[in-house]
Amino acid sequence: MKLVEMMRSVMLSVSHNKFRVFLTSLGIIIGTFTIIMVVGISKASEEAVTQQYKRLSVESITISKARGGGRRNASTISKDLTKEDALKMPELLTNVKSVGISTRTTSDIAYGSTSESVSIQGVNEAYAEITNLSTLSGAFFGDEDGLARNRVVVLGYNLANLLFEGNIESAVGQKVLLKGTTFTVVGVLDRIGGSGGMSSGGGGMSSSTSADEMAFIPYEVALKYTSGKRAATSTYIAMANDIDSVKPAIDEIKQYIGEITGNSESYNVVDAGSTLSSAQETSRTMSALLIAVAVIVLVVSGIGIMNVLMVAVKERTREIGILKSIGAARKIILLEFLFEALFISLFGGILGVLLSVLAPWVLSFTDIKYSASIDGIVLGLGFSVVTGVFFGYYPAAKASKLKPIEALNYD
């Protein structure tokens, strides 16, 4: 039997059972669509993580309070690392050249009739330098503003755009209200995108908070007007002398923290590169778990394909007997049913790919980011084809092993 005739036979069988084929391929459609979605969301997530950390220099080291204060023994009482302790590091540690400090709270910010709830980040000048915050208009405040308790604020790009209705240039010099206190806008940040290495928890990393939506005020001013001295949780970012000094700087900082607090593990000390790798690994792990779920869907669909082909073999037993009696080889029968399984899985895979075209539109109504990927399409189609061939082989092999006499006598 020629390949063209074999394909014609497959198409004839499929056309006689259109609805059954469609129902069988539904699982393939959903599984393929899910894999493409997961890969797209995973890619967008990794891009967001990279974007989030790209503003941090490779020499930067984050220092944040460990959950539970780190491991302690009965003779150890751990205290907090104070601002004064942290700011002494460049003087006392040979591999640290500067230390940034930050604290965060949430507050309403208002200008005229426009009001918005935003993250307020209290930072010092070194923090802005280490995280590479640059202004589009105006200038970033200095440490002297904090010491003088000047009520000044630097707005993120999107926040300024919202408060001043797109007229960002007019923001500098205007007065805004933070927790009922008047602040003067002294600068507007250049647009960053992602989260720019900012923290939703006081200086560490978070993909949920973007510097574009935040307001920055001097650290001392934040303690007085927004965070409060007792409620404030401070996080620090240290800058090593150079890339080769990062590891020695981490060791020095941990030793220093141990001497100050009595417990070197009371604070997490991690360089930016390690934090980025950890965040990306977490993202990849979640993606792998979701892809595993999609593969399970495809396996269930494959069982459906096997079931449909088993029924097809039963229905076409006499036809198989006729083909064998006129000299059709076992290989021909095997390939015919395998092609049918391949068609069903490929048909479902292609529909799943076409359905994924709607993904950006559907996800535009949510906060989930999606990035189209050829890898996702190839992976989705690949799994669908492998599923069809794997689960179609047994019914095809069974059909090819039928004896002509028994097949012709089948009722």
Side-chain angles (χ1 to χ4, degrees), residues 107-354:
S107 171
D108 287 338
I109 185 170
Y111 174 76
S113 60
T114 305
S115 179
E116 183 76 6
S117 179
V118 297
S119 293
I120 309 296
Q121 196 94 358
V123 302
N124 67 345
E125 190 175 347
Y127 183 94
E129 293 173 356
I130 293 172
T131 55
N132 297 315
L133 294 176
S134 59
T135 55
L136 178 67
S137 61
F140 213 91
F141 49 78
D143 288 338
E144 64 276 6
D145 290 299
L147 294 174
R149 304 298 190 272
N150 293 333
R151 296 194 299 274
V152 291
V153 60
V154 173
L155 304 177
Y157 182 90
N158 293 345
L159 178 58
N161 192 57
L162 173 68
L163 293 177
F164 296 93
E165 299 178 347
N167 191 11
I168 294 176
E169 292 76 12
S170 67
V172 177
Q174 298 297 323
K175 307 290 185 182
V176 295
L177 286 177
L178 281 175
K179 284 197 171 181
T181 303
T182 302
F183 280 73
T184 302
V185 179
V186 294
V188 175
L189 292 182
D190 198 359
R191 189 175 186 278
I192 294 172
S195 54
M198 293 302 100
S199 164
S200 63
M205 305 301 150
S206 170
S207 59
S208 61
T209 305
S210 169
D212 292 330
E213 276 80 35
M214 295 173 67
F216 297 85
I217 61 178
Y219 179 80
E220 292 80 5
V221 176
L223 296 184
K224 182 176 181 179
Y225 292 102
T226 59
S227 300
K229 290 185 178 180
R230 292 186 179 180
T233 299
S234 299
T235 306
Y236 312 98
I237 298 182
M239 176 71 84
N241 295 333
D242 50 49
I243 187 64
D244 295 326
S245 301
V246 172
K247 183 63 172 64
I250 290 175
D251 294 337
E252 279 188 332
I253 292 170
K254 286 183 176 179
Q255 183 179 352
Y256 179 73
I257 289 174
E259 293 172 357
I260 296 296
T261 68
N263 181 7
S264 61
E265 295 182 358
S266 59
Y267 281 78
N268 295 318
V269 183
V270 187
D271 65 287
S274 298
T275 310
L276 172 59
S277 299
S278 177
Q280 289 177 329
E281 184 62 31
T282 300
S283 176
R284 285 191 287 268
T285 300
M286 290 302 298
S287 298
L289 289 174
L290 292 173
I291 288 177
V293 172
V295 170
I296 291 172
V297 172
L298 287 174
V299 169
V300 174
S301 304
I303 295 172
I305 290 176
M306 181 187 288
N307 183 54
V308 165
L309 289 183
M310 290 295 288
V311 172
V313 170
K314 288 283 186 182
E315 292 176 346
R316 296 165 59 186
T317 299
R318 289 179 62 82
E319 176 189 332
I320 294 169
I322 293 171
L323 288 173
K324 284 209 163 191
S325 66
I326 60 176
R330 177 179 170 183
K331 178 183 177 182
I332 298 299
I333 306 297
L334 177 70
L335 287 176
E336 185 174 335
F337 281 92
L338 268 182
F339 277 141
E340 187 168 337
L342 181 61
F343 176 85
I344 294 173
S345 60
L346 192 58
F347 172 74
I350 291 172
L351 285 183
V353 170
L354 294 176

Side-chain angles (χ1 to χ4, degrees), residues 57-61 86-100 124 126 129-130 132 237-243 245-246 248-250 252-253:
S57 302
V58 291
E59 298 92 352
S60 62
I61 302 165
L87 295 183
K88 286 179 183 177
M89 288 184 191
E91 301 173 15
L92 302 176
L93 307 182
T94 57
N95 292 289
V96 177
K97 65 179 179 182
S98 64
V99 172
N124 67 345
E129 293 173 356
I130 293 172
N132 297 315
I237 298 182
M239 176 71 84
N241 295 333
D242 50 49
I243 187 64
S245 301
V246 172
I250 290 175
E252 279 188 332
I253 292 170

